[in-house]
Amino acid sequence: MTQLSINTTQNVTINFSSASIGERIAAYFLDSLIKIAYGIVVFYIFFYTLSLNLIINKLDNWSRIAIYMIFALPIIFYSLVQESMLEGQTFGKKLVKIKVVKIDGYQASFGDYLIRWLFRIIDISMSSGIIGLITMVVNQKTQRLGDISAGTAVITLKNKINISHTILEDIGEEYIPKYTLVIKLSDNDARIIKETYQAALKTSDYEIINKLTSKIEAVTGIKNDLDSKKEFIQTILKDYNYYTQNM
């Protein structure tokens, strides 16, 4: 499994494990099964049970194509819509526990997902997946052309990268949160903050702690009004846990 180092704009280096080619193929086939299931259900309900095909056959060619396209839209835009709504994951990626991230440390945007989706035509559709497979094999970060163009990579969330194992903080029932704006953070953001903070503590790297504090302030709009930056970061993590556990 390839290690993926991400350099953030605050010069903080975070290490991830790239999703393997096998994991990405497994997610693709799971998503394909969901699309096939959708197609079967649509055919059975509309074309078999409701006999929609009898009505369609009476229409002109352009009208028939338009109707078929409407039914095909969920399949065509499947990955684009799901990755945008599920923060870099489709149902297949969720099951395999992999996700799309930006290699600059930020959460991928709709524009990034759109670029990845457009390049699926070259990576997968036009070449039956051969171009995408070859690109992932020769690329150190296991990126296909869509990832390279969008500046993204697919990482695994298994083992030490598992989010649920890394963002939890020990907070008591009487804990009172201080910063409500922490809800601007995602689980991925909280994990990155915690891992970077813990690594900086081990090496007594206070420059990284300073940069991490500045990054948190820039992303959330929260200003550090505590006695120390270490206390500020610890409070951010505890507040995030409080709000996400009680929402």
Side-chain angles (χ1 to χ4, degrees), residues 59-126:
L59 302 175
D60 60 86
N61 287 337
W62 287 109
S63 297
R64 284 200 294 268
I65 292 172
I67 291 174
Y68 290 139
M69 285 296 294
I70 290 172
F71 283 111
L73 286 178
I75 293 177
I76 295 172
F77 294 103
Y78 176 90
S79 61
L80 175 62
V81 172
Q82 289 204 9
E83 287 182 354
S84 300
M85 294 179 64
L86 302 178
E87 295 187 345
Q89 290 184 298
T90 59
F91 290 135
K93 287 185 175 71
K94 271 189 170 295
L95 291 172
V96 180
K97 295 183 179 179
I98 60 177
K99 74 174 294 183
V100 180
V101 297
K102 286 285 287 182
I103 58 175
D104 62 5
Y106 282 100
Q107 178 69 43
S109 67
F110 176 79
D112 300 318
Y113 299 132
L114 178 61
I115 292 172
R116 296 184 78 255
W117 176 77
L118 289 172
F119 269 86
R120 287 173 68 89
I121 298 172
I122 301 173
D123 284 328
I124 300 171
S125 302
M126 290 177 58

Side-chain angles (χ1 to χ4, degrees), residues 67 78 128 139 146 203 213 225:
I67 291 174
Y78 176 90
S128 299
N139 187 277
T203 57
T213 299
D225 55 0

Side-chain angles (χ1 to χ4, degrees), residues 98-241:
I98 60 177
K99 74 174 294 183
V100 180
V101 297
K102 286 285 287 182
I103 58 175
D104 62 5
Y106 282 100
Q107 178 69 43
S109 67
F110 176 79
D112 300 318
Y113 299 132
L114 178 61
I115 292 172
R116 296 184 78 255
W117 176 77
L118 289 172
F119 269 86
R120 287 173 68 89
I121 298 172
I122 301 173
D123 284 328
I124 300 171
S125 302
M126 290 177 58
S127 62
S128 299
I130 294 175
I131 291 178
L133 181 61
I134 292 174
T135 308
M136 288 189 291
V137 169
V138 301
N139 187 277
Q140 286 186 332
K141 299 174 183 175
T142 324
Q143 295 169 294
R144 60 179 178 85
L145 291 178
D147 290 312
I148 296 171
S149 301
T152 59
V154 180
I155 62 169
T156 180
L157 303 177
K158 296 175 182 176
N159 300 326
K160 67 178 182 179
I161 306 298
N162 192 309
I163 288 177
S164 64
H165 292 164
T166 57
I167 66 172
L168 296 179
E169 287 289 320
D170 184 19
I171 56 175
E173 293 182 2
E174 304 300 320
Y175 181 77
I176 300 175
K178 180 177 178 63
Y179 303 116
T180 57
L181 288 178
V182 292
I183 58 174
K184 289 186 176 183
L185 299 172
S186 66
D187 280 355
N188 193 46
D189 296 329
R191 178 184 56 74
I192 291 173
I193 291 169
K194 183 169 183 178
E195 288 185 351
T196 306
Y197 175 65
Q198 289 178 335
L201 282 182
K202 288 180 181 178
T203 57
S204 298
D205 193 335
Y206 295 104
E207 182 180 355
I208 292 295
I209 292 176
N210 292 339
K211 290 178 179 179
L212 183 59
T213 299
S214 299
K215 182 68 175 286
I216 294 171
E217 290 178 330
V219 171
T220 63
I222 299 170
K223 297 302 178 183
N224 178 18
D225 55 0
L226 299 177
D227 294 335
S228 71
K229 292 179 179 178
K230 290 196 295 183
E231 184 183 357
F232 173 68
I233 295 172
Q234 291 167 355
T235 302
I236 289 291
L237 291 171
K238 289 180 179 179
D239 284 2
Y240 182 81
N241 274 264

